[in-house]
Amino acid sequence: MRTPQQSTPPVRIRSVDQAISIIPHLLGYQPVEDLVVLVIDPGLVCTVRADLEEVRTPSTMMSQLAPVSLRFPDAQLLMVAWTVDHQKGLGVLALADSMLGNERIIDAVTTDGQSWWSLYCDDPACREQGHRVVVDEEVRAEAVFRGLGVLPDRQALAATVAGPDPGQLDADNDLLIETGQWAASLDLVGAGIEAFEIWRRILDGQAPIDRTDALRLGHLTQLDEIAGMQWYATTKEDARKEVDTWLEVIAHLPESMAARPLVLCGLAAWLLGDGALESCCLERAGQIDPDLIIFGALSVLQHNAVPPTAWDQIWRSPQMIAQGVVADAPPEAGPLDLGFREAVGRAASARRARLRAAGRSRSRKRSRSGGGRRR
């Protein structure tokens, strides 16, 4: 699911041509064999996609449409089947129409990018010849202005989270070992403080993360507690920097270390409104470690079409979400809902208190021991 960023006015789509013009920008890549659903209420709320081959049966189509229909009960849908075979596209759209009807579906069209055919057009010439796509350059320019670029295809997008090639792994090997030894020397609180300091430098500064900090953050995130704190602390306000940071981390990590950073990158991409990147992150993370709790949680958010705007209202516990419980946060969230900065700050304060107490205890022991020697 890809959602227009909330800092800009909602995208308004007034024609099929405008929809076809902007869909590649909403997905982040040029579609080939995709079913794209634009959820409109009244502006564009979000974009949902599925592989066309995965929605050709009633059960698979329902698994895609039911969460969207339930999550946005008052919204209308503009459905676009992007394929070179317009008869196949019309067949998929007819299946969707049999489930939802034209009360919910504004229009259902299939396109190859050059022409389009509507399921609801009764003119025989329309069904055979279709309509030429009239590209709306103004809509495309607005999409580019909003930062919605287009890669050649979904494989190109997936390549951005595919990890390092063998040459990069060799180049990073010594530093990977060195930063691993550094991370292993830290206790849990120390690891949290170091992760906090890395994020402070990223979020407070202008420079992107460097290779050393990328590998350090990658090692620290192997701890479930540190990955969990970063899950809670991910925000819409910092999502762009967080995505860029995780992409750089992933670009240097061997596959065995990539699952948690991939999920956290996907979470930030979701908050940014980039559902296509979120899906690519989830797909690779699922191939590496599908048993991760945060992987299960993000999968639930995606499958249930939970909009990024809900992040500030829901209880962020990945354990709960992974079980399918997406609930509003209680008025006073417990320790599990502390932000990363606050959680680390409390842990650091507790550690300092323990060290002060231990220092006082040692001083008393030395004082008693010293007194004995004087006697």
Side-chain angles (χ1 to χ4, degrees):
M1 180 173 65
R2 185 165 180 150
T3 307
Q5 295 184 47
Q6 300 302 312
S7 58
T8 55
V11 175
R12 296 196 178 274
I13 297 172
R14 298 177 176 84
S15 70
V16 170
D17 289 311
Q18 284 187 340
I20 293 172
S21 299
I22 201 173
I23 278 174
H25 296 272
L26 295 174
L27 295 181
Y29 64 90
Q30 187 65 41
V32 179
E33 293 288 316
D34 297 273
L35 175 65
V36 183
V37 182
L38 305 183
V39 182
I40 299 171
D41 188 24
L44 179 63
V45 178
C46 69
T47 307
V48 180
R49 69 152 296 278
D51 291 342
L52 207 58
E53 290 298 323
E54 295 180 356
V55 289
R56 298 189 68 183
T57 67
S59 61
T60 55
M61 177 65 80
M62 183 58 70
S63 71
Q64 291 292 329
L65 294 183
V68 177
S69 183
L70 292 171
R71 181 65 59 180
F72 305 102
D74 299 322
Q76 292 184 299
L77 310 178
L78 174 56
M79 307 192 73
V80 181
W82 208 293
T83 174
V84 294
D85 183 350
H86 76 274
Q87 293 297 338
K88 180 174 76 172
L90 289 171
V92 169
L93 295 170
L95 179 59
D97 177 72
S98 71
M99 295 179 174
L100 294 180
N102 57 17
E103 294 83 8
R104 292 293 307 273
I105 301 175
I106 298 174
D107 205 346
V109 303
T110 183
T111 183
D112 57 6
Q114 304 300 317
S115 300
W116 61 268
W117 296 259
S118 173
L119 181 69
Y120 301 140
C121 181
D122 295 326
D123 186 343
C126 167
R127 297 294 293 269
E128 290 299 322
Q129 300 173 9
H131 305 268
R132 296 298 295 174
V133 173
V134 179
V135 175
D136 192 317
E137 295 297 346
E138 184 177 345
V139 167
R140 283 189 170 180
E142 181 182 0
V144 171
F145 175 75
R146 294 177 183 224
L148 301 177
V150 181
L151 292 172
D153 51 36
R154 196 167 186 272
Q155 287 71 30
L157 184 63
T160 63
V161 293
D165 58 30
Q168 185 65 56
L169 280 173
D170 288 342
D172 290 336
N173 187 62
D174 290 345
L175 188 57
L176 180 69
I177 294 171
E178 177 186 325
T179 50
Q181 292 170 342
W182 167 84
S185 70
L186 302 169
D187 62 12
L188 181 57
V189 173
I193 292 171
E194 291 293 343
F196 167 80
E197 287 299 325
I198 291 172
W199 279 110
R200 184 187 59 77
R201 292 194 292 271
I202 294 167
L203 299 178
D204 293 347
Q206 299 299 319
I209 191 171
D210 61 28
R211 189 165 63 115
T212 299
D213 273 352
L215 287 171
R216 285 181 170 180
L217 191 58
H219 280 292
L220 295 172
T221 305
Q222 301 311 299
L223 297 170
D224 285 330
E225 296 87 349
I226 304 303
M229 285 194 291
Q230 291 173 103
W231 167 277
Y232 287 114
T234 303
T235 65
K236 287 182 61 179
E237 293 75 19
D238 294 326
R240 177 72 270 167
K241 282 188 176 181
E242 288 165 344
V243 166
D244 291 343
T245 296
W246 288 121
L247 289 176
E248 185 64 21
V249 171
I250 292 163
H252 294 282
L253 291 182
E255 184 164 292
S256 61
M257 296 175 61
R260 290 169 182 82
L262 280 164
V263 175
L264 293 170
C265 184
L267 176 64
W270 171 63
L271 290 175
L272 193 63
D274 194 341
L277 179 59
E278 176 197 9
S279 294
C280 291
C281 290
L282 276 173
E283 287 172 11
R284 185 168 178 237
Q287 293 166 1
I288 299 169
D289 192 349
D291 295 327
L292 282 177
I293 290 175
I294 58 173
F295 169 79
L298 187 58
S299 298
V300 166
L301 293 176
Q302 184 192 59
H303 179 73
N304 288 281
V306 178
T309 51
W311 186 240
D312 291 335
Q313 284 80 48
I314 64 174
W315 202 347
R316 298 183 186 181
S317 165
Q319 290 84 357
M320 287 180 58
I321 297 172
Q323 295 299 317
V325 180
V326 182
D328 289 343
E332 295 182 2
L336 285 179
D337 285 296
L338 292 175
F340 179 54
R341 294 170 185 259
E342 186 177 355
V344 172
R346 289 192 179 187
S349 296
R351 185 172 73 159
R352 285 193 293 270
R354 290 196 302 271
L355 290 174
R356 286 195 296 269
R360 288 194 295 269
S361 176
R362 286 193 296 269
S363 296
R364 286 194 295 269
K365 288 180 180 178
R366 284 196 298 270
S367 176
R368 289 194 296 269
S369 174
R373 282 194 296 271
R374 283 194 295 273
R375 287 196 299 270

